[in-house]
Amino acid sequence: MNCLVDGNIPPSSGLSSSSALVCCAGLVTLTVLGMNLSKVELAEICAKSEHYIGTEGGGMDQSISFLAEEGTAKLIEFSPLRATDVKLPSGAVFVIANSCVEMNKAATSHFNIRVMECRLAAKLLAKHKCLSWEEVLRLEEVQAKLGVSLEEMLLITEDALHSEPYSPEEICRCLGISLQELKTQILSPNTQDVLSFKLYQRAKHVYSEAARVLQFKKICEEAPDNTVQLLGELMNQSHVSCRDMYECSCPELDQLVDICRKFGAQGSRLTGAGWGGCTVSIVPADKLSSFLANVHEAYYQRSNRSLVPEKQSLFATKPGGGALVFLEA
């Protein structure tokens, strides 16, 4: 195969450029080989393949790359993978703004440490509730095994975990294992030297964020008069949780979120893995042009960030279709 690759997603910006490339490569390879897989199967294979570069990512980016449809947002759920249409409010636009801080997930350990903190939190919560914790890898599994709501999981988290960071030794005591077992059986190679894990904060973020996702969908379905305001409030809560509980923001993202809110966004939050990359803001459609002009001046023109092509740094967006193959007739 000889391939020419071209794209217009700014790299390391939290907009899934690497997943887009992997999904495109997978789809092209299947097509060339004359093979057929469902979109769901392809999304799952592409998600697994990204683990080979050492990034312990989930499957959300790959799922939306394949399952997206024009004109509708998607609620994505896992185990099994499925996507449900969510109709967004017509009076608002979602605007992407690039902080111009690049974050290379493959070259840094922040991302994998968060994955590991969530895994350890899930194991401690499972042990606290007398479940077989050895098999548990994800916080969602604890909720599923207990058969309780996200709100109840937040209460269990308050009860089971303390807010001070856990040392590897304390985790071993809680689980009744040796340090050697922790390192070889649970921790990934690039998290074995981490000296403290914030389990309470990470679990609290994950369960509250999952609850906000379901609340966002519910508001979209019920479509009250103040839909845009309510969705904006959820996005603002989400950013606060990303910043304070999951600690995956950075000063530039926080500044950009504040600027977006100041100039008319009802809500704004980081998007993607964090530690750089982009914000997404919900903006009333009638304020869009003034919003774009003001944010451009306040964030991009007052620094050398205006060197980034404007079309790649600040733009309104709407749900588009997923990956497709165009064949020349």
Side-chain angles (χ1 to χ4, degrees):
M1 282 168 65
N2 288 322
C3 297
L4 172 68
V5 179
D6 188 26
N8 59 3
I9 307 173
S12 298
S13 63
L15 298 180
S16 313
S17 58
S18 55
S19 296
L21 181 60
V22 170
C23 292
C24 178
L27 189 56
V28 165
T29 306
L30 273 184
T31 308
V32 169
L33 297 175
M35 293 169 70
N36 250 327
L37 283 177
S38 72
K39 287 181 175 181
V40 168
E41 286 174 306
L42 200 46
E44 287 175 336
I45 287 171
C46 287
K48 280 186 193 140
S49 74
E50 289 205 41
H51 292 177
Y52 287 99
I53 63 155
T55 303
E56 300 269 340
M60 192 166 60
D61 298 349
Q62 299 81 2
S63 304
I64 197 62
S65 282
F66 286 117
L67 302 174
E69 290 179 61
E70 197 168 340
T72 179
K74 294 281 185 179
L75 170 76
I76 295 172
E77 296 170 280
F78 296 95
S79 314
L81 174 58
R82 57 210 185 278
T84 313
D85 289 358
V86 177
K87 188 177 183 332
L88 296 173
S90 54
V93 185
F94 288 88
V95 177
I96 301 296
N98 190 349
S99 70
C100 305
V101 177
E102 291 196 359
M103 156 58 177
N104 183 344
K105 281 188 292 192
T108 52
S109 59
H110 307 305
F111 187 85
N112 287 346
I113 291 170
R114 293 297 176 279
V115 174
M116 204 45 63
E117 286 172 320
C118 291
R119 184 168 299 170
L120 292 167
K123 288 182 183 295
L124 263 66
L125 288 169
K127 180 90 188 285
H128 178 76
K129 296 306 267 183
C130 303
L131 301 171
S132 55
W133 59 267
E134 294 88 350
E135 309 302 313
V136 171
L137 294 176
R138 301 193 314 277
L139 287 160
E140 180 269 333
E141 292 171 59
V142 183
Q143 184 200 0
K145 284 178 192 293
L146 292 174
V148 300
S149 68
L150 289 162
E151 289 72 22
E152 285 174 276
M153 281 312 307
L154 284 165
L155 294 174
I156 291 168
T157 301
E158 294 284 346
D159 192 34
L161 302 175
H162 57 67
S163 59
E164 299 78 29
Y166 286 73
S167 67
E169 291 76 13
E170 185 181 1
I171 290 166
C172 290
R173 283 197 300 277
C174 292
L175 296 178
I177 58 174
S178 70
L179 206 50
Q180 186 61 23
E181 286 171 309
L182 176 69
K183 288 191 171 182
T184 55
Q185 294 173 23
I186 300 176
L187 298 181
S188 57
N190 56 5
T191 57
Q192 291 186 359
D193 298 325
V194 178
L195 298 176
S196 69
F197 298 93
K198 293 188 177 180
L199 307 189
Y200 166 82
Q201 290 84 347
R202 310 318 182 213
K204 199 158 180 200
H205 169 73
V206 170
Y207 289 129
S208 66
E209 187 76 337
R212 281 186 287 273
V213 170
L214 297 180
Q215 188 64 22
F216 196 99
K217 176 176 181 274
K218 186 166 177 269
I219 293 166
C220 286
E221 286 169 347
E222 293 173 356
D225 291 343
N226 60 340
T227 292
V228 177
Q229 180 197 335
L230 293 173
L231 296 181
E233 285 169 8
L234 285 174
M235 290 172 71
N236 290 338
Q237 289 167 20
S238 176
H239 186 76
V240 169
S241 186
C242 286
R243 183 190 70 202
D244 298 344
M245 301 305 281
Y246 209 66
E247 294 179 279
C248 64
S249 190
C250 68
E252 294 86 353
L253 279 172
D254 296 338
Q255 182 196 359
L256 186 50
V257 159
D258 289 343
I259 287 170
C260 290
R261 289 179 195 155
K262 178 182 173 184
F263 290 117
Q266 289 282 327
S268 188
R269 53 154 294 173
L270 65 83
T271 187
W275 296 286
C278 291
T279 62
V280 59
S281 302
I282 187 168
V283 180
D286 56 0
K287 288 187 181 169
L288 179 62
S289 55
S290 66
F291 174 84
L292 292 173
N294 286 325
V295 172
H296 180 69
E297 185 189 349
Y299 189 78
Y300 299 97
Q301 281 186 337
R302 291 188 188 170
S303 69
N304 60 4
R305 296 186 188 106
S306 52
L307 299 173
V308 178
E310 192 176 345
K311 281 188 178 161
Q312 288 193 359
S313 56
L314 183 66
F315 52 91
T317 180
K318 53 183 187 284
L324 290 171
V325 174
F326 293 96
L327 299 170
E328 282 196 6

